[in-house]
Amino acid sequence: MGFNKNKLKSGVAMAIAKEGEGRGYSGKITSVVILSCMVAATGGIIFGYDIGISGGVTSMVPFLEKFFPDVYIKMKEDKNISNYCKFDSQLLTAFTSSLYIAGLIASFFASSVTRSFGRKPSILIGGAAFLIGAALGGAALNIYMLILGRVMLGVGIGFANQAAPLYLSEMAPPRYRGAINIGFQLCVGIGVLSANLINFGTEKMKGGWGWRISLVMAAVPASMLTLGSLFLPETPNSIIHNSKDHQKAKLMLQRIRGTNYVQQELEDLIEASNMSNSIKHPFKNILDRKYRPQLVMAIAIPFFQQFTGINVISFYAPILFLTIGLGESASLLLSAIVTGVVGTTSTFISMLIVDKLGRRALFIFGGIQMFFSQVIVGSIMATQLGDHGEINKKYAYLILVLICIYVGGFAWSWGPLGWLVPSEIFQLEIRSAAQSIAVAVNFLFTFIVAQTFLSMLCHFKFGTFFFFGGWVVVMTAFVYLLLPETRNVPIEQMDRVWREHFFWKRIVGEKS
């Protein structure tokens, strides 16, 4: 897909946006961009690996016997306990969710590092912290060491999730930004798939130490990210903002765009940097009226992403399949298929079509798909699974198919776009602060959902699926009414989409 110079006619803003080349921007995807973004997107692998590994490890008998014996007793010996309440343990959910509180706090420190020193140092810190967490988890001798390892993993994910999506959006040419940024979520899917397949293998190991292999294997993607980040080039945005070396930034732009004609993009970056330098307190300034749409999206999109109900599947898929009557090995294998193969394939499809169909279409179609699959799953569990006994196998496999449909819908909509859209809509002067808010909100509600889901499943039972299905309706309506299309709009010109939107222009003012 070559660059069409004939499209560079000034003064026709809509035509410019449609072509995706911005106001005179030129360039193509270069090998430097591809290699750099592959390394940065590895931050998604460590996030996905942790999501996938947690659910599998917490369903392994030796792990439960060592760290959570009360849960093991309820699961194996208490025949009177409800199917929905077997795993309701605050200590067990504390193990899972401690990571997200650590990530929430770390994301705000990451904002200062990213703004003051660049995206690259934050990615490096993220990889190193995750590496330490993997070592502590694999070597854990008691619950305290285990949770300390989780906290370090959280610090790593907090830094990586704050910096990596920004890095990807800033390195990518406008017309390919969606596809490149979704590489982060694709890596999340690869991480989940890898974790589930590893869990399936380690669960069968004799001696009861397979869970240690599962936890320590997180060091592999963490090492890739840590070592790879040492060789990453810094983004032109960050070079201009931190070093004021415009010539260095121009050379980097020429290198990553594969052309010498980068003056217009450079001028936009310099203008954005000058505006950014005039703001000393970005967390205070983001409260200004002119940034109201971005602040709303920084909070609403990650909030909604967690209330799709994906954590019902991602964290606890093996537990869910145990609950509906499948064996332990089958639970691990089926969760690998559901959260891994289906999710990764669907995210790859999203990568191919997001810059053609746009963000809004994927959000809306994915929401409809998730809603209907959740309602049907909830209805089957309401009629077929009581508090005791097992569900009929044919219904168990029907639920599996419906969960595949659900995961597919999430993986080409709210999964990747929940990271893409917040990373591309913020002006440079508030970008690090706003991204930290988005990551912190994501972690906060991941923590809340993870900490309450098992208790919610115990009390709401099948109603849990209707609960999250209701939220999917709300978020789909929110996107339809309030999120403008950002496809092919250059990142430094993104403020114009709010001034052209029927609702937000009343708040930020119409385009002059």
Side-chain angles (χ1 to χ4, degrees), residues 321 324 326 334-335 337-338 377 395-406:
F321 287 122
I324 63 176
L326 299 176
L334 288 174
S335 71
I337 295 170
V338 170
V377 168
Y395 286 109
Y397 284 104
L398 177 57
I399 288 175
L400 171 61
V401 171
L402 289 166
I403 287 176
C404 285
I405 294 171
Y406 168 83

Side-chain angles (χ1 to χ4, degrees), residues 111 115 119 170 237 241 268-286 288 290-291 294 425-435 491-492 495 499:
S111 171
R115 179 177 169 84
R119 285 60 171 141
E170 290 179 352
N237 314 61
H241 181 70
D268 281 349
L269 294 179
I270 293 171
E271 181 182 350
S273 179
N274 291 336
M275 175 67 76
S276 176
N277 289 331
S278 69
I279 294 186
K280 302 303 180 186
H281 305 288
F283 282 103
K284 180 180 178 181
N285 283 88
I286 199 174
D288 289 352
K290 67 179 179 178
Y291 301 125
Q294 293 93 324
I425 62 174
F426 307 130
Q427 286 99 309
L428 182 62
E429 62 267 24
I430 61 165
R431 192 169 297 157
S432 290
Q435 180 69 7
I491 195 169
E492 302 305 341
D495 60 318
R499 296 198 302 267

